């Protein structure tokens, strides 16, 4: 078995952290709509992840767990041609590109109503645990844009998809792992009878268009939600699918309660014996990822915006916010309300072009005059360094006085979980201290202006 994760990395630090924690395989997607991914996108991502000692074991097809209104391929489960045919053709091309890129599996959902939940239930120590209690649900909740979809109509649409996609996956030798419907809901809820919300439905599903490349993203929590006594019944279910080689990924999630009345829990406190489950997966020869799934919400000081943090805690002297390298709403909001915004970049033109484009977007959205470009992973070429400095200055952005050099020793320290100033090499330690001092000085300069 492989220790995996599907948590989207915020940046490369998360890849290093995963490797340090013992993760070996990941499910990560390239940016953008999966229908638009190219072979180069997939290869570049796989090679980048491998640079951290991790394996890209799986991606998500453009069929996710959200309600159909927010799907990338809505017409497949709406049964609407020719739109669904175009979506299926695109997915088939993606599967073929996954094979060419050396990515062995893809997960997907066949979801119309998303993941229904009722208000959270209290858990251990006051945690907030996601739940679905039928007595607290609205049985008259309206249908989605898909309208009313009965059991046989649902099966017909699933069959239409599988008949076209499974042969391509088989020829490409790419495993397709479908997630169960989460949770089981009574027939007709929101206009839909969820056929993949029962064990019998999942058994029928994996028996259709039989192929060793057609199976399940086996969410143990979701399957437990289908049973009256998951603590007792789950092992027979794992064995049935495991003996047939139909488990391609495991979402390692526990629950307390059962069908139509459950709450999600931490792995160690629910009704299912997760240690015994692991032993059974091993006994059955399961050899793919075991990954965490939904987790309870625990107490932490959370603020929805930087402005709210400043308002609610006036005693904070310094706030450091690490965001994704995108001009998305969160990054823009933080940039607008920050005294200084550091924008790191490599020195190659391939690195500088997107970084400066990001800086221009942030400047247009309110961060002008507070952006400082930081050159990182600077090699030993003085010519390349000088060209990078000139490029940043020509673009009109301030450049931090110090830069972060590309040194094998720094990478070794990071792999071991050491910060730059903790390096055992005194020369590298001095470089790191100078860099920290420069960042701190520029930050204090910005605060004094504010």
């Amino acid at each position: 078995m492989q220790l995996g994760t599907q948590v989207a990395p915020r940046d490369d630090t998360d890849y290093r952290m995963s490797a340090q924690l013992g993760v070996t395989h990941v499910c990560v997607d390239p940016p953008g709509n999966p229908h638009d991914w190219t072979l180069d996108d997939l290869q570049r991502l796989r090679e980048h992840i491998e640079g951290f000692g991790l394996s890209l074991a799986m991606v998500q097809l453009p069929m996710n767990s959200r309600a159909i209104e927010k799907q990338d391929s809505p017409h497949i489960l709406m049964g609407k041609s020719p739109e669904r045919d175009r979506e299926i053709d695109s997915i088939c091309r993606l599967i073929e590109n996954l094979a060419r890129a050396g990515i062995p599996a893809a997960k997907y959902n066949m979801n119309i109503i998303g993941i229904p939940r009722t208000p959270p239930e209290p858990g251990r120590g006051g945690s907030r645990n996601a739940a679905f209690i039928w007595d607290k649900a609205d049985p008259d909740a309206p249908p989605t844009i898909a309208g009313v979809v009965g059991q046989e109509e649902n099966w017909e649409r699933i069959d239409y998809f599988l008949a076209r996609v499974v042969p391509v996956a088989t020829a490409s030798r790419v495993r397709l792992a479908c997630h169960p419907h989460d949770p089981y809901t009574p027939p007709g809820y929101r206009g839909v009878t969820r056929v993949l919300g029962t064990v019998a439905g999942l058994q029928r599903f994996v028996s259709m268009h039989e192929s060793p490349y057609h199976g399940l993203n086996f969410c143990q929590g979701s399957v437990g939600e289908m049973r009256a006594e998951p603590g007792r019944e789950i092992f027979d279910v794992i064995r049935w699918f495991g003996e047939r080689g139909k488990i391609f990924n495991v979402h390692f999630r526990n629950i307390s309660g059962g069908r139509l009345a459950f709450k999600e829990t931490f792995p160690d406190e629910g009704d299912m014996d997760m240690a015994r489950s692991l032993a059974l997966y091993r006994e059955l020869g399961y050899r793919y990822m075991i990954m965490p799934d939904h987790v309870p919400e625990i107490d932490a000081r959370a603020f929805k915006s930087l402005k709210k943090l400043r308002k609610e805690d006036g005693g904070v002297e310094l706030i450091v916010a690490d965001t994704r390298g995108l001009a998305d709403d969160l990054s823009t909001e933080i940039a607008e309300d920050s005294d200084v915004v550091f924008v790191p970049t490599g020195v190659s033109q391939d690195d500088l072009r997107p970084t400066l484009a990001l800086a221009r977007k942030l400047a247009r959205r309110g961060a002008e005059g507070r952006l400082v470009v930081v050159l990182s992973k600077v090699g030993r070429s003085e010519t390349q360094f000088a060209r990078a400095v000139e490029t940043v200055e020509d673009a009109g952005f301030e450049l931090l006085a110090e830069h972060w050099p590309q040194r094998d020793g720094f990478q070794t320290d990071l792999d071991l979980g050491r910060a730059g100033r903790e390096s055992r090499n005194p020369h590298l330690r001095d470089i790191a201290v100078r860099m920290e001092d420069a960042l701190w000085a520029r930050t204090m300069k910005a605060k004094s202006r504010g």
Side-chain angles (χ1 to χ4, degrees), residues 21 85-86 114 116 140 188 190 201 220 231 259 265 386 394 428 436 450:
L21 292 173
D85 298 306
R86 288 195 288 267
D140 299 318
R190 298 203 64 196
Q220 187 164 333
R259 183 166 166 164
T265 67
D394 287 348
L428 298 182
E436 290 181 14

Side-chain angles (χ1 to χ4, degrees), residues 334-400:
I334 291 176
E336 288 175 351
D337 203 44
S338 295
D339 296 308
V340 62
V341 180
F342 294 111
V343 186
T345 179
V347 294
S348 72
Q349 293 302 307
D350 284 345
D351 285 333
L352 285 164
R353 277 192 293 270
T355 300
L356 293 176
L358 168 65
R360 292 186 188 98
K361 289 181 181 178
L362 293 175
R364 288 195 298 269
R365 297 181 183 184
E368 187 174 5
R370 285 170 282 143
L371 295 157
V372 180
V373 176
V374 182
L375 294 181
S376 180
K377 298 183 178 179
V378 177
R380 300 183 186 276
S381 170
E382 294 182 2
T383 301
Q384 187 182 48
F385 176 68
R387 189 181 301 120
V389 171
E390 182 181 2
T391 299
V392 174
E393 291 176 346
D394 287 348
F397 292 106
E398 179 183 348
L399 192 65
L400 191 71

Side-chain angles (χ1 to χ4, degrees), residues 33 98 103 137 206 393 404 435:
N33 189 316
L98 290 176
I103 300 170
V206 299
E393 291 176 346
W404 190 261
M435 186 71 174

Side-chain angles (χ1 to χ4, degrees), residues 437-450:
D437 288 345
L439 290 166
W440 180 255
R442 184 61 183 83
T443 300
M444 294 300 101
K445 180 180 178 182
K447 284 181 66 66
S448 65
R449 289 176 178 173

Side-chain angles (χ1 to χ4, degrees), residues 267-303:
D268 64 302
E269 63 161 345
D271 291 345
M272 294 182 284
D273 186 333
M274 303 305 276
R276 182 181 168 190
S277 299
L278 280 176
L280 181 55
Y281 289 124
R282 180 178 180 180
E283 174 193 329
L284 294 168
Y286 175 70
R287 52 197 173 93
Y288 305 120
M289 288 189 287
I290 299 281
M291 60 171 59
D293 192 28
H294 308 173
V295 293
E297 179 183 323
I298 61 175
D299 283 317
R301 300 208 63 190
F303 299 89

